[in-house]
Amino acid sequence: MSIKNVEIPYGAYWSTPFTKWQGSLQHLHSMKFAAHVTKQELAKRDIDPTVFDSGVLGMTINQYQSFNGAPWPLYDVGAVNTAGHAVNQVCATSARGLFAAASEIVCGMANVSLLMTADRCSNGPHIYYPNAKGPAGASEDQVTYNMMNDCVGGHSMMQTGENVAKRFDITREELDAVTFRRYEQYQDALKDDQAFQKRYMTLPLSVPTANFKKEETVVYGDEGVFPTTLEGLQKLKSIQEGGVITFGNQTHPADGNASAILCRSEEVASLTARPEIKIEVLGFGQARDDLAYMPAAPIEAAKRALAVAGVDIKDIKAIKTHNPFAVNDVALAKAMDLDVMAMNNYGCSLIWGHPQGPTGMRAVIELIEELVITGGGYGLFTGCAAGDTGMAVVIKVSDR
């Protein structure tokens, strides 16, 4: 049965721009920066942080003193007596965070929950693991090493994309065409002085110094989006001999944060910017595919989320995906008989980058806004994650 009585108040969500690897946000502690942004966004909406009786932090990359998880950023935003916890499912962290917050509301543990998602791929930690029985230990660069070395199979994440491309007979031509289409869709978010993005993003964004006492720089939008043409994509060489994935039809690592408030329906009135709009969280799904087939996992996850929500795929009006590879979208479309060119309007992680934890949260926020613009309906978000897993979320936007 579908989830009942869990809503996201309209406008009670936000995202920073996503900036490129070693870009304008590389110097900021991701948890502190998420709290910094959240505090400002709550003040803009005149929301008292003491209203939160639960909090969730979605984060995947360790930061200095991140041991405590959610209680630290909750305290920094002013929710000084609010309990909370941290979740990590790599690229599916936002979907997992939404599930955690919604579950607490369904179980009666919370009335209003703050979900903060934050990550910084830049300057990831180098971790040393001591050997208890000798002088030599083991170490890893948490971000780069794990992207290139699966803990079970030893393969890179890119290899999972190649494997799924073979399973679904996906050609290089298909991937380049979808990538160019995604770039075109992103341009719609930039029209009229970035009108779509300004529905949920504070622009320009004042970027603080590392001690948060002064302004370091100003960011006017996403940083790292590469000008794309179909001809340019076609000229790129495949990364793997005989493969179909290039540096053009996959995403790039990024930095940023995104957050949302979830609550019981009875609490919406004091939190929403438009009380006539209802945003329901209806269902979640998770799945795991075969070893080294990560981009295929969202297919089954989507089917399960739709079943929980009691919604047919034909009733879905808008789809957003976390697509680290264009392969993800083509595989999903082929498996579920979808128009691959119609999903991901206004942008997606393939274009604006992948800071891991907040990637899916921004996609869900954009999904909400797309549905509001088009008059409401059901929306589906899917995303894969390391470990050949995937998660999906079904929402509904309607008149109250």
Side-chain angles (χ1 to χ4, degrees):
M1 57 185 296
S2 61
I3 294 171
K4 303 293 185 183
N5 201 34
V6 178
E7 297 189 30
I8 300 174
Y10 180 78
Y13 41 74
W14 51 87
S15 174
T16 66
F18 287 176
T19 65
K20 63 183 179 180
W21 178 280
Q22 303 304 118
S24 295
L25 303 181
Q26 63 159 310
H27 62 290
L28 292 169
H29 187 293
S30 61
M31 289 171 66
K32 291 183 180 180
F33 185 42
H36 173 82
V37 171
T38 296
K39 190 173 183 178
Q40 292 181 334
E41 296 292 342
L42 292 175
K44 283 176 57 177
R45 294 161 176 77
D46 196 27
I47 295 175
D48 185 345
T50 62
V51 72
F52 304 119
D53 46 17
S54 179
V56 179
L57 171 67
M59 193 176 80
T60 75
I61 302 168
N62 293 344
Q63 299 284 273
Y64 181 69
Q65 282 204 305
S66 58
F67 185 82
N68 281 11
W72 183 6
L74 285 168
Y75 191 95
D76 280 355
V77 304
V80 297
N81 294 120
T82 301
H85 67 285
V87 296
N88 172 2
Q89 196 179 335
V90 202
C91 317
T93 293
S94 287
R96 179 62 63 183
L98 284 166
F99 176 76
S103 296
E104 290 189 356
I105 294 169
V106 170
C107 292
M109 293 175 60
N111 292 311
V112 184
S113 182
L114 173 64
L115 169 61
M116 291 180 281
T117 62
D119 263 319
R120 186 187 72 187
C121 288
S122 299
N123 304 309
H126 179 80
I127 304 173
Y128 174 73
Y129 304 94
N131 179 2
K133 295 185 177 181
S139 65
E140 65 176 359
D141 291 303
Q142 189 184 22
V143 178
T144 54
Y145 184 81
N146 286 289
M147 287 182 178
M148 298 302 297
N149 299 274
D150 181 83
C151 56
V152 178
H155 51 269
S156 69
M157 291 190 178
M158 186 198 69
Q159 184 61 56
T160 71
E162 292 288 359
N163 293 346
V164 172
K166 289 181 181 178
R167 177 188 283 182
F168 287 91
D169 296 319
I170 298 170
T171 66
R172 167 71 184 273
E173 290 73 23
E174 288 178 287
L175 298 182
D176 288 344
V178 168
T179 301
F180 181 59
R181 170 60 178 158
R182 298 294 176 258
Y183 181 75
E184 288 182 320
Q185 291 167 303
Y186 178 76
Q187 302 312 302
D188 291 336
L190 304 182
K191 291 179 179 178
D192 302 320
D193 191 30
Q194 298 166 276
F196 179 81
Q197 292 180 345
K198 287 180 178 178
R199 295 170 73 95
Y200 65 89
M201 187 184 293
T202 296
L203 293 172
L205 176 70
S206 174
V207 177
T209 55
N211 62 7
F212 294 89
K213 292 183 177 180
K214 296 181 181 180
E215 182 177 87
E216 174 85 13
T217 188
V218 176
V219 173
Y220 294 90
D222 296 315
E223 183 182 273
V225 177
F226 199 84
T228 302
T229 65
L230 185 57
E231 294 77 13
L233 290 167
Q234 293 168 341
K235 290 178 182 178
L236 295 174
K237 292 183 179 180
S238 299
I239 299 172
Q240 184 179 100
E241 185 70 29
V244 294
I245 295 175
T246 69
F247 287 116
N249 59 38
Q250 64 175 302
T251 191
H252 59 274
D255 306 333
N257 59 72
S259 300
I261 297 172
L262 286 77
C263 67
R264 290 172 53 83
S265 300
E266 294 82 356
E267 307 291 339
V268 169
S270 61
L271 300 167
T272 182
R274 294 180 62 180
E276 74 278 11
I277 296 175
K278 186 176 185 178
I279 306 163
E280 298 172 89
V281 180
L282 296 182
F284 294 90
Q286 63 178 345
R288 185 175 185 177
D289 211 288
D290 298 332
L291 179 65
Y293 282 84
M294 180 181 72
I299 297 168
E300 182 60 30
K303 293 177 181 179
R304 295 176 183 181
L306 290 166
V308 170
V311 178
D312 190 277
I313 187 63
K314 295 179 181 179
D315 297 322
I316 295 294
K317 189 173 182 180
I319 297 174
K320 285 286 229 183
T321 66
H322 162 48
N323 41 11
F325 309 102
V327 168
N328 288 59
D329 287 357
V330 180
L332 181 70
K334 287 188 173 186
M336 302 190 74
D337 192 24
L338 303 170
D339 180 358
V340 71
M341 299 302 189
M343 61 179 74
N344 281 315
N345 292 314
Y346 298 104
C348 57
S349 58
L350 181 66
I351 302 301
W352 35 247
H354 179 27
Q356 298 199 155
T359 305
M361 188 70 257
R362 174 170 171 176
V364 171
I365 290 169
E366 291 192 352
L367 178 62
I368 291 170
E369 291 294 352
E370 179 182 353
L371 289 169
V372 170
I373 289 171
T374 57
Y378 293 102
L380 171 68
F381 166 77
T382 73
C384 64
D388 304 300
T389 65
M391 285 199 72
V393 184
V394 176
I395 64 168
K396 182 182 180 182
V397 174
S398 61
D399 295 332
R400 192 174 297 280

